[in-house]
Amino acid sequence: MNRAYRLTTTAALAAALVAGAAATATAAAPAPAPTVSVTKAPAPTPALTAQPSTGTVAAWQEFRVSGKATGIKTGTRVTLQQKQGAKWVSLPASVTINKNSAYSMRVKLGIKGKNALRITGGGATSPEFTVTVR
């Protein structure tokens, strides 16, 4: 009986050791390394603002149009456009964007009445603004 008792105890201990070793091996297995994803910040959408120095001028009187650019490189050329009928026509008034992301141009208009204008360049177009020529 003593021998049977020892065999049963030894078998039970061996089974417990094998189960414990398997549990320890599973617990000791290194966790997979976390994956790191690098996302680039989206490039800012190109945008232009435009503000005339005055809302009303005499024919051929000089005024200024100035504004800011975002998402557009320094040195990019921006051009004044005038709505003539249903089409936008580029006028011979253009400047480059300076290092402060700003621009300012001198303009003279001769078409009397309300003139719809906008600035375009660098893949962006400013909101429309009007200057009345009397």
Side-chain angles (χ1 to χ4, degrees):
M1 181 97 165
N2 198 8
R3 187 175 176 188
Y5 178 71
R6 273 189 283 154
L7 281 174
T8 306
T9 306
T10 304
L13 284 173
L17 283 174
V18 169
T24 304
T26 304
T35 57
V36 177
S37 62
V38 178
T39 56
K40 287 185 176 179
T45 305
L48 288 168
T49 64
Q51 181 69 41
S53 60
T54 184
T56 304
V57 294
W60 304 111
Q61 179 185 352
E62 186 176 285
F63 65 97
R64 288 197 166 274
V65 176
S66 56
K68 289 282 219 176
T70 53
I72 301 174
K73 289 183 179 180
T74 298
T76 301
R77 186 161 290 282
V78 293
T79 305
L80 179 69
Q81 290 185 333
Q82 180 182 44
K83 193 167 191 178
Q84 296 178 359
K87 296 177 86 174
W88 285 99
V89 177
S90 292
L91 299 178
S94 63
V95 294
T96 56
I97 295 172
N98 66 23
K99 65 182 178 180
N100 298 326
S101 298
Y103 68 90
S104 181
M105 68 176 67
R106 297 183 310 203
V107 180
K108 291 182 181 181
L109 297 175
I111 300 175
K112 292 190 178 187
K114 283 191 174 189
N115 288 271
L117 304 167
R118 69 182 185 183
I119 300 292
T120 186
T125 303
S126 73
E128 184 179 311
F129 59 94
T130 59
V131 174
T132 303
V133 177
R134 46 179 161 77

